Structures are given as C-alpha cells and as structure tokens.
Amino acid sequence: MTAATSETLTARVWRALATVVDPELDEPITGLGFVSDVQVRLHDDGGHAVAVRLRLPTYLPKRPEASRSGAATSPENCFLPAGSVSTSTVCAPNFAYLMVADAHDAVLALPSVGTVEVVLEDHFAAESGFGGAFPGQGGGEPAELRLTFRRKAHLACLERAVRRLVGEGWQIDALSAGRLGDVPESPERESLLRRRAELGLSTDPGSPLLVEDDGEAVAPERVAGRLRFAKAVRVSIEGNSGLCRGLLHTRYPETRTAREEVSS
C-alpha cells in the first residue's frame, strides 16, 4: 500500500466523518471542529486501522486530588456543574456517545477499514464508556436517546420548511392540507427529507407535510400547537449551536476561523 493510497483513505475517512452530525445541533461534527485528528495505519493483512480523536466544547474537569493520585477519569473523580445532582443531569456525555457511535460506524463502513478506534479527548466518561457513565441506562447503544434527538431535529427542519412556505404566501390554515411535494427544491427541503428518512417517515411527495412523531398527519386543530412546539425546538437548537461554538473556541482557540476572529 502506497503513501498516496493511505492519504486517499484519510481523505475518505474525513468525508465519512462529515456525514456524522451533532444530534442536537444537526450539523456535521467536522464543520463544528469536533474532529481533532485522524490517523490511518496499514495492517500486515492489508486492512487498515483508523484512529479518530474527538473533542467537545464541554467536559468535567478532574478533581485535583484525583489528578495527583493518578485516579481514573471517572464521574466520581470529576467536578459536576453547579446545580447538578448526579452525572445523569450532565447532557454532554449523552451527545458525546451518540457521536462516538456514529463516527465509529461511518468509518468502519469504508472499504479496507478493519478496525476503528474513536477517542474522546479530555472527557470524564471517555474511560468508563456510556454504560459506565450512566449505569442503569442499558450500557449499550442509547437508542431511545438517539430517537429523541432525531425527532427534535426533524421538528426543527419541519419548522424551517414551513417558514419558507409561509414566506411564499401560504396561510397557516392551509398547511394542514400541505404535502411534502409542496416544499420547493431548497436546503430546507433536503434537510427535511433526510430527517424523515432517518425516522422511517414517508418521503413520498404526496405524503402529508405536517406529521406527528408516528408519521400520522397532524389534525387541523393541532397544527398551530405543533408549529409552536417546532419553533421552540428550532430556536433552542440554534441557540445551543452558538453556545457550543463559543465554548469550543474558548477551550480550543485554534478552532476559530479567521472570519470569526474578525467578527468577535
């Protein structure tokens, strides 16, 4: 295997990682600056081992006594944010392990990749795993958590698509009869189709635009309430996106772009 081929695989790994999105922010982890390093090694059997390092805006610092003793970076050896009563109130690890799992699966799906290691830098749960950090929550794939965030992302995309329709003259009362095909070709439409596909919802142009979590059409009397909730979810996601970027730039100044440096 030549160096040039290894470089090509590295590029493909980055492209695969670009398909992984922050479950709450709904943006690629590469664009958010969460991927700090990718290393590719060639095995004797011709396969490749890939190591990926992720870094996140928030983390729990280790207590001084734990650092001095060399104790593991476990929840009991770290500071909890003010007001937290347990690690279950800390959200970042939930997001972190969804992204770790998605990054692992995306890279492992590449041809010639035999093993994948995803390391979470400076994170209290990095050594204990999801099950260790959240005992009693299954210890494996946090499927319910993933479903919750996918539904939130779908609602945010739905609200953006509806705002586009309203901007083009649609009345709120008419939206209950709207179809997916009524949304014009646009980034909003592409995002909505992707999110519906992830949830197993219909992407047929003739399917209802406004749907409940189970895919059933929203009843006319529920349209206003559904859209208010969708707007609240969208605003929350966009607010958190700015907060996360600010925290990441503060923690890792090298992630700031020249444009962000000028505008800050």
Side-chain angles (χ1 to χ4, degrees):
M1 188 62 63
T2 66
T5 304
S6 294
E7 289 175 2
T8 300
L9 178 56
T10 300
R12 285 191 284 131
V13 169
W14 277 97
R15 284 198 296 273
L17 292 172
T19 67
V20 179
V21 299
D22 180 297
E24 185 177 40
L25 306 184
D26 196 28
E27 295 184 39
I29 60 175
T30 49
L32 289 165
F34 290 176
V35 181
S36 64
D37 189 46
V38 171
Q39 295 291 329
V40 176
R41 291 187 294 107
L42 178 63
H43 279 312
D44 293 338
D45 61 4
H48 289 85
V50 178
V52 177
R53 299 187 72 85
L54 301 182
R55 58 187 174 189
L56 301 176
T58 57
Y59 74 116
L60 300 182
K62 189 183 287 188
R63 294 180 182 279
E65 60 273 23
S67 295
R68 287 193 294 271
S69 66
T73 312
S74 58
E76 61 272 18
N77 290 328
C78 295
F79 289 108
L80 288 175
S84 295
V85 295
S86 74
T87 55
S88 64
T89 63
V90 180
C91 295
N94 297 347
F95 306 152
Y97 273 91
L98 288 177
M99 287 183 278
V100 167
D102 288 348
H104 178 276
D105 293 347
V107 176
L108 189 61
L110 293 173
S112 86
V113 173
T115 61
V116 179
E117 179 187 32
V118 182
V119 175
L120 200 55
E121 295 180 342
D122 303 330
H123 201 281
F124 86 95
E127 298 171 17
S128 53
F130 187 89
F134 302 97
Q137 295 194 32
E141 173 76 5
E144 290 189 12
L145 186 64
R146 183 186 303 279
L147 179 60
T148 296
F149 284 117
R150 283 181 172 175
R151 285 175 171 170
K152 289 174 64 177
H154 167 248
L155 273 177
C157 290
L158 177 62
E159 199 271 343
R160 294 187 187 105
V162 166
R163 277 196 297 142
R164 187 179 185 91
L165 290 179
V166 171
E168 294 181 353
W170 278 65
Q171 300 298 311
I172 296 296
D173 293 343
L175 289 171
S176 61
R179 300 287 148 179
L180 193 55
D182 292 325
V183 181
E185 293 290 340
S186 59
E188 291 87 351
R189 175 184 168 86
E190 291 303 311
S191 297
L192 181 59
L193 289 175
R194 177 167 55 86
R195 286 306 184 179
R196 286 178 71 134
E198 286 179 347
L199 288 167
L201 303 176
S202 175
T203 57
D204 187 282
S207 60
L209 172 62
L210 301 183
V211 294
E212 304 283 3
D213 289 342
D214 60 4
E216 290 295 317
V218 176
E221 65 272 17
R222 279 187 39 81
V223 168
R226 181 72 167 167
L227 291 179
R228 280 197 300 272
F229 181 60
K231 182 178 181 180
V233 170
R234 191 262 303 166
V235 170
S236 174
I237 288 175
E238 292 177 354
N240 284 342
S241 178
L243 177 62
C244 286
R245 282 197 174 86
L247 290 171
L248 184 71
H249 296 340
T250 300
R251 189 179 182 195
Y252 302 107
E254 67 274 17
T255 62
R256 296 172 66 91
T257 65
R259 181 178 180 180
E260 289 167 336
E261 290 282 0
V262 171
S263 61
S264 64

